[in-house]
Amino acid sequence: MYDLLKGLRVVEGSAFVAGPTCGLYLAQLGAEVIRFDNIGGGPDFRRWPISEGGESLYWEGLNKAKKSIAIDLSRPEGRELAARLAAAPGDEGGVFVTNFPVEGFLSYEKLSALRPDLICARVMGWADGGPAVDYTVNSAVGVPMLNGFPEEPRPVNNVLPAWDLLTGAFAAFALVSALHARQRDGKGREIRIPLSDIAGTTMANLGYLAESLGGQDRQRMGNDLFGAFGRDFLLKGGQRIMLVAITPRQWKGLTQVLEIEAPVAALEVELGVSFAADEGLRFDHRERLFPLFEAAFARKTLAELKPSFDKEGVCWGPYQPMSAAAEDPRLIKGNPIFADAAHPSGRTYPTAGFAGTIPQDERHPARGAARLGQHTDEVLAQVLRLSDGEIARLHDAGVVAGPEGR
């Protein structure tokens, strides 16, 4: 947690991954992020994984450090409250993140009528307004056809919702950019960010599109690294690692540590190539190289290799479950990005803060998620300036709710 965005208020009306991720990153940089949900929770409130008591670990993970207000969005008065909250006055406000449809009670047209300089980052599925989630966009852009091994005919989906996560980060970047522009020209803006456009532009940026238009869709190749030397290897003792040698230094260090310089040199002479000079040649001839490396790895344990790997700058990583990653000091255990925090599930565990590190600024400990509706009264009073009597009436009418529906 940092204070770079301290003094900024962001209202979030979203669910699932992309929109909440955008709000999360802004909150971790110090913005006051207020998420509104339906009373009883939105469509992601009970999403798996869940705790022993049925609380969503997914929901509390994506909504850390935010304030929560519960509103009955099925009623006109509740929808009016949500719109007023998104467009609340003040230099610190007028910033809204949502994945609600382009048309409707949270359309930019209606919100900007309440506040013309409103900044809105709107996460969408397809650019034409059609529904989509990460998995359906991913299938359409072709990535599952690249995953898996050549002998497996079925497409292989990603476990990681990459397009959701990229969209959330892109939305945060675009929102802060629009806010900077508003400070200069006073204009409000709606930024529409479809998952489909994030996926399409990313594949184009990485060269996949141009490659395909050149006449050849890339074929699946298991765990081989495209265009360079990299693959999973099995070590003596049963440990499996992912290893990559892209730079000349990495290649040289790897062959030295494995003591296979001589057979590699002999293969270079046979083929008339220099593997050290061209990473593409290592890829082209990987079927000849792999057996040399497989045999060398089969003779060594990870304990034997690790000191030399570290000394020579070899690029590798262990295959390990998340439970082991939690104990890895390079990832989680002892990492200052994480701090133990309590959550609505009743559990206290290492909680992620802002992923970047700013040496010049103080890092504050990561905070857990709020209970649903925990800040309803506070937000209504401080942001919308409602009186105690007005807030009580809204509670009595069932338009809003506090923690756990109270």
Side-chain angles (χ1 to χ4, degrees), residues 102-125:
V102 169
E103 304 297 336
F105 76 101
L106 292 174
S107 71
Y108 190 76
E109 179 183 9
K110 292 182 178 177
L111 293 178
S112 62
L114 300 175
R115 178 165 181 160
D117 67 347
L118 178 77
I119 301 296
C120 173
R122 190 178 304 274
V123 171
M124 303 169 63

Side-chain angles (χ1 to χ4, degrees), residues 36-41 69-82 100 105 376 394-395 397-402:
F36 63 75
D37 283 285
N38 260 312
I39 296 174
I69 175 171
I71 307 173
D72 186 349
L73 297 172
S74 68
R75 298 168 61 174
E77 191 172 7
R79 293 186 170 197
E80 179 188 355
L81 275 178
F100 273 77
F105 76 101
T376 295
L394 290 171
H395 277 284
V399 177
V400 301

Side-chain angles (χ1 to χ4, degrees), residues 319-402:
Y319 281 91
Q320 60 187 18
M322 191 69 231
S323 55
E327 298 299 315
D328 191 331
R330 298 173 304 169
L331 292 171
I332 296 172
K333 189 172 184 179
N335 187 337
I337 288 174
F338 289 83
D340 285 345
H343 293 271
S345 61
R347 295 172 59 177
T348 298
Y349 52 81
T351 300
F354 184 66
T357 296
I358 307 172
Q360 297 78 17
D361 288 6
E362 178 185 1
R363 176 187 287 277
H364 306 297
R367 302 201 306 267
R371 288 179 294 160
L372 183 69
Q374 180 177 335
H375 302 95
T376 295
D377 290 3
E378 174 189 329
V379 170
L380 293 176
Q382 295 183 5
V383 179
L384 296 185
R385 305 295 183 186
L386 300 187
S387 67
D388 291 345
E390 290 174 305
I391 295 172
R393 182 191 66 78
L394 290 171
H395 277 284
D396 291 343
V399 177
V400 301

Side-chain angles (χ1 to χ4, degrees), residues 84-342:
R84 288 175 58 194
L85 190 60
D91 293 340
E92 73 283 3
V95 181
F96 184 45
V97 176
T98 189
N99 64 351
F100 273 77
V102 169
E103 304 297 336
F105 76 101
L106 292 174
S107 71
Y108 190 76
E109 179 183 9
K110 292 182 178 177
L111 293 178
S112 62
L114 300 175
R115 178 165 181 160
D117 67 347
L118 178 77
I119 301 296
C120 173
R122 190 178 304 274
V123 171
M124 303 169 63
W126 290 96
D128 62 6
V133 296
D134 187 283
Y135 277 96
T136 59
V137 167
N138 195 52
S139 65
V141 82
V143 172
M145 309 302 294
L146 306 177
N147 291 338
F149 290 84
E151 62 271 17
E152 171 58 62
R154 294 180 63 186
V156 179
N157 288 335
N158 289 351
V159 174
L160 185 74
W163 305 126
D164 276 333
L165 297 171
L166 282 172
T167 298
F170 189 93
F173 153 74
L175 185 147
V176 172
S177 299
L179 183 61
H180 178 72
R182 185 176 78 176
Q183 293 170 343
R184 183 185 67 246
D185 60 23
K187 289 176 56 177
R189 290 171 174 85
E190 178 186 28
I191 310 156
R192 299 179 182 180
I193 310 167
L195 294 177
S196 59
D197 285 349
I198 293 294
T201 57
T202 299
M203 296 298 282
N205 292 342
L206 291 174
Y208 288 88
L209 176 61
E211 178 187 23
S212 179
L213 294 177
Q216 179 64 53
D217 280 326
R218 189 178 303 180
Q219 302 301 301
R220 60 181 66 187
M221 55 188 66
N223 289 334
D224 297 3
L225 176 64
F226 177 74
F229 186 86
R231 208 199 73 181
D232 62 304
F233 290 98
L234 185 64
L235 278 60
K236 181 181 178 180
Q239 174 72 55
R240 190 174 292 274
I241 65 171
M242 180 64 193
L243 181 130
V244 173
I246 296 178
T247 68
R249 180 174 183 267
Q250 290 171 351
W251 177 254
K252 180 180 179 181
L254 176 60
T255 56
Q256 285 179 344
V257 170
L258 294 179
E259 301 174 333
I260 56 173
E261 295 165 286
V264 168
L267 183 59
E268 288 178 315
V269 172
E270 175 190 340
L271 298 173
V273 301
S274 171
F275 294 131
D278 189 340
E279 63 177 316
L281 291 173
R282 299 171 218 151
F283 177 78
D284 287 338
H285 298 288
R286 65 193 185 281
E287 297 303 330
R288 297 290 304 276
L289 288 166
F290 284 159
L292 301 177
F293 285 84
E294 289 168 354
F297 277 119
R299 295 190 294 266
K300 302 280 189 178
T301 66
L302 183 57
E304 293 172 323
L305 287 172
K306 187 179 183 304
S308 298
F309 274 179
D310 293 345
K311 179 182 177 182
E312 298 298 332
V314 175
C315 186
W316 69 280
Y319 281 91
Q320 60 187 18
M322 191 69 231
S323 55
E327 298 299 315
D328 191 331
R330 298 173 304 169
L331 292 171
I332 296 172
K333 189 172 184 179
N335 187 337
I337 288 174
F338 289 83
D340 285 345

